[in-house]
Structures are given as C-alpha cells and as structure tokens.
Amino acid sequence: MATLANNRRVRDREPNYAFADEADAETRSADAAGGVFNVRHVLALLRANALLIAAIILAALGIALVSTLLMTPKYTATTSMQINEQADRVLKEGDDTLAQANMYDFDRFLQTQIDILRSRGLAQRVAQSLKLSSDPAFFRAMGVEPPPAETPASAVRDMASGMLSGNLKVDLPRGSRIVLLNFTSNDPQVSARVANAYVREFIAASLQRKYDSSSYARNFVSEQLTEVKGRLEGSERALNDYARAAGLFRMREPVEGEGASDAGSASITNTSLMQLNRAANDARAARISAEGRWRVVAAGNALSQPEVLSNPSVQALLTQRADIQAKLQLDRARHLPDHPSAIQLTAQFSEIDRQLNAVIGNVRASLRSQYDAALAAENRLDSKVNELKVSSMAEQDRSVQYNIIAREANTNRILYDGLLQRFKELNAAAGLSASNISVVDAAEPPGGPSSPNLMANLLVALFIGSVLAAGLVLLRDQFDDSIRVPEDIEHKLQLSLLGVIPLSTNDLDLDLLDPKSSVSEAYNSLGGSLLYSTSAGLPQVLLVTSAQPTEGKSTTSYAVANGLARIGRRVVLIDVDLRRPSLHRRVGGDNKLGVTTLLTSDASIDSVVLADKQPGLSLITSGPVPPSPTELIASQRMHALIDELAEKFDVVVIDSPPVLGLADAPLLSPMADGVMMVIEADRGRRGTLKNALRRLRAMRPIILGAVLTKFDSTKNANSYSDYYGNDYYEYKSDDEKPVKRERQVS
C-alpha cells in the first residue's frame, strides 16, 4: 500500500502526458477538422438533424411550388443569325484607311457584335421602328401598365428601350458563329415580333455604319479632288504662260509615266535637231560607202569592184572580148600572125578593149560623182546640225523653269486622275455593300411558356434547401459540442474513448444485475479499458465526474466499482457529491454517516464503510449535507482521507459532483490518479462540455478519457457496431435453448 501511495505522489513530479492545455486542445481540434473526411460523422449529423433537414427542404420546395403557381407565364421567342468576318473595304487594298475586320481576332469581333446587340442605341432603334412608345399592348406584355398620356415622350422612349434591354438575352455558343437572340415577355406574339425586329434593325444598323463610313470617304475624296483640280489648272496655266513668254514650242505634252527630260525633247528645235542629226548620220554613212568604192576604183583594180562587174555594158564587152580572144588563139594556131583573119581578129580585140576602158572610165567617173555628192551632203547636214545644237542649248537654258512647272503640272495630273478614279469607284459602290449578317431561323411565336418551369424551380429549390440545410447543420455542429456518436469524443473533445454504454431499454438496475445484458457487458468493457488506461495499469484513485447532472455519473461509478470488485480487487466507492448525494438511495442507507462525518470529526473509516452485496466492494455515502461543501473538499483532511483510503483498498472510486457551476470536481481532480468524464449521448449543449474540460485542465489533472452513456444504438447503428458487433454469444444450459446476447468487442 505504501508503494501505491508513493506512486501516487510521484505523479505530481513527473511530466503529465495525459492532458494538454487549451492551445494544444484547439490545435488538435483544428487538425482533426482538417483531416480525413469522416463519413460516419456526416451520417450521424444527418440522422441527428433529419427532421430539421427535411423541414428546410420541404419549406424550400413549398416556397418554390407556391411561387411557381403564382408566377405569370413568360414566353421566349428565339431567332438565330450568322455573323461572318467583316471584310468589306472602303478603298483599294494597300490604303491605310481600310475598315476591315481582323481575321485573327474574330472572337473579339463577335463579342463586339454581341455588345452592339445589347446596346441602348439598338434598343432605341427597335422601339422606334415598332413604335412601342405608343403601343399599350407592348407595355401590358411586359407586365406594366401603359404610362399616362401626360408622361414626356422621352421618358416613355427610355422606359420602352429599358424594358427591351432588360428582357433581351444574347447567347453565343463556344466555337460557333451562330448567335441566338432571345426575347421574353408575357405575350408570345410580342416576343416573336420584337426578336425579329432586333435582327432586322441590327442588320440595318450594320449597313448604315458601312454606308456612313463610305459617305465619309466619298466626301473626303471629293474635297481632295476639288483641291487637286484647282492646283492642276493653275500649274497648266503657268506652264503655258511661261512657254509663250520664253518662245518655247512643244509638239506634244508629257503624259503619265514620262519625266521632265521628255518634256524638253518635245520642242520643235529638239525634234528638228534629232531629225537632222539622224540625216547627217545617214549622209556620213553614205559618204563613207561612196568613198570606199571610189578609192578602190581609183587604185586601178576596177574590174574587182562589184559596181563595175555588175554593169551590163561591161559584162557584154567582156563576153565579146572572150569570144574574140578564143577565136584569135585558134587562128594563130592555124595561121601566121600576118594572116588576114588574124589581123582582123586582132583589130576587133583592140576595139573591144578600147570600148571596155571607156565604159570603166564612165563607171569610175560615176563613182567619183557619187562620192563628191555624198561628201557635199554630209558637210551641209553637219553644218545645219551644229546650228541646231547651238539653238537647242539656248532653248534648254530657257526650259529649266519650264520643266519645273511641267513636273508640277504632271504630278497634279496624276493625283487628279487617281482621285477621280477612286471617286467614281466609291460612287458606284455606295449603298451596295453586302451584309455580313444573315438570318438562320426567324423567331416564331412560342407554343408554350418558357417560365415558370415547375420542375426546374423544384430542382433549384431542392438544391438551395439542401445547401441551406447542410450549412445550418454544419454551423450547428461547429457551435454545438453535443456528443452523438463515439467518434465525437475524439474529434470534438480530443479525449480518449474508454467505453460506450448503450441506452437501457429496461430497468437500469435490472440490467446491471444481469451479467448477460448489453449494459453489463458495456461496463465490463469499460473496466477492461481502465485496467490499461495508464502506464502503471489501473489508477488507484479514480475520479468519476461529468459536465452536468443526470448524465449517468453515479451509475457509472457504481458499475465500475462493482465490476472491479468482481475481478478480485478491493474497491471502495465514495460519494463526494455533498450537495445531491445518491449512493445511499442505491444501497438503501440512511446517509447519517459518510464523507462529511470523516471530514468533520475523528470518526474512523471503518465506522462509515458499508459493505455491498458484491464481495470486495465497500461503499461510503456522502453523509449529512454540509453548509459549505467546497471548504470541506479543499481541506487537507480530504487529501488525507484519500491517501488513507488508498492505503486500505486497491482502488478508490470517487463519485464527484458535476464540473459546471461547482468548484468541487476541479478541486478533487488533482487528488486522483486519473479522471474519467461521463458524457451523455445526444444531450443538447452549447459549449458546456468544453467549458467543463477547460475548468478541469486548469487544475492540470490526469484525464484518462471519457465514457459515452445512454447511447441509442438504433439511431447510430454504424457507430455502435464498432463497439458491439452483430454477432452474439450463445448462453445455454443443458435444459434450455440457446439465448443470443450481444457479444462485447473491445
């Protein structure tokens, strides 16, 4: 016994690992909350709040049903249109003033078109085209009364355009160029009419923007054309005046593509110079040719020249000469040189030679004449060319300013021609631009209302109700420390679970007396847990307390003490609840002697100890209720009493008062080797349990854990099966049938 007492005292000097301060508890709570998702905890919450969840969901469904029945039917007309790339041009390709869509930014272009569809300007166009400001049917279709006659027209227009914009919905499916335009009202005819008007006015507005852009371009080009035309007329007039004053005459004016040098070559002097220079070149070539022929003939080799040989007379004489020469050679072969025939032939040959020389002389004279004539012509042309060169140089000096003026006039003419051509193209294309928007499906009056949709509203209400119910349940769970399932003891309180005591369906005392009942088995399991609750085994002094009264603290104290006594331990159970004692009623005593007697007198322990029916179990009731229980509990006599009992018995079980509202249990907790919290399942609390634990931890006791009492297994079958399986022990005797009981599992 002395060893046990020493062990109890040593614990005050050793580090206490069985409890944690408030910060550690909160940290573990946060870790537990952020850990693995606990399905059983969620199911327990759903079961515990089933009525609340059902009420919220049914209320949401009821509100949705009533709202749907009270809603005015709405009709939605839908029209679809295709929007292609904006590729129309105002001017030719290459100009910086092009107004075309960016082919690589088509998504932004489509979004721009949708923004235009939703714009206030387009709504005003639709309202004006349909004359909605003066249409009472439109206002009634929109669910409002027509404005009074004295309402300003601008206010009515704004009201109509606002209702159009507010009931218009434009959708663009991803990856598509088909835009869906929906308009909703109370009248299907009005919905279809407005939807089609929106598309019609959208196309018209697009074409109008193109026309306005083209009109601006035409006006700009027209202004530029007038300005360039004036400059062209002035430059041409200045050119003519200068040419007249300088005596410059031009055969033709330069045309587009010619430079200023061509303007100078168009003068008469330059034209004549070019013609005479060309003639002089021809004369020089003719003179050189004639001179060559003459020099060959003059050198004596006349018969080698083609001009001589091609002469018919020379050719005839050469033929005759050859015939006579042939005859003369034949005659000389037959006769002597002085033969008459030879003399005659010789005379004929000489005559032909004389005639041939005469003809060659004539040809030579002709070639000489040709040479002289070509030389004279060359000299005359060279002289004239030199004269014109001098005149042309003088004219070029006078043409410098002329070329400057001519270049300016040519530039103005090119600009004028280009602008005139563009102006003609713009006039031809004005108002003829093709629209890049086409209607795919026109809107038709819907055959049925689009809203309210009862099924959709009920589904939305079901979702909202479920979310609200889940939020409310989670919120209640965060602020409520009620313990509904065994797992809550670890998750919410960070305490070890020592045991689970089921709710007794019969008389509790009878269940405790029946060793085969589930309550008895549960308390047996609790006793087994206490045997290994500390490193030294079963704590010698065990304090049993609870946060509030009637949680099963006294019953648990008695059941634990009874169970330990059944396994051979000498146990004493003392009732220290000096305000509302209960142990004497359980054992049928008068409570005249007890704990208060020991604390206020010199009475011995043996004089107040009562023997229980269970062997090995001793009881000490509270005794008379004192005027100040707290002072007695905090006294040194209480410490001495517990030490004395620890020396006499193996186990001391203290049935203490509840923690909240009283200082008794916190004062007793440091005197015990271990504290066991008794927690009633499914008991409504608002932080009371955590406050009780906080008060206990302030005294730095050894909190062994908690036991969950009055646990209804029918409500929490899944959690209960972790502690009590679905199999059963079979108790039977030789003359009775097997009886199934719940088998304890730990």
Side-chain angles (χ1 to χ4, degrees), residues 28 205 322 453 557:
R28 291 197 302 270
N453 189 329
S557 301

Side-chain angles (χ1 to χ4, degrees), residues 465-532:
S466 301
V467 171
L468 290 177
L472 183 58
V473 168
L474 292 177
L475 187 63
R476 290 185 61 186
D477 183 60
Q478 292 296 321
F479 289 97
D480 185 11
D481 60 354
S482 298
I483 305 301
R484 295 184 173 86
V485 293
E487 289 84 355
D488 289 345
I489 292 179
E490 295 181 355
H491 294 163
K492 293 185 177 181
L493 304 179
Q494 288 76 54
L495 292 178
S496 299
L497 179 64
L498 299 176
V500 178
I501 310 303
L503 180 65
S504 176
T505 57
N506 302 317
D507 184 81
L508 181 59
D509 293 334
L510 295 178
D511 286 338
L512 291 175
L513 293 176
D514 184 6
K516 301 177 182 179
S517 67
S518 60
V519 175
S520 295
E521 291 179 354
Y523 277 117
N524 291 336
S525 177
L526 174 60
S529 299
L530 290 175
L531 291 176
Y532 304 98

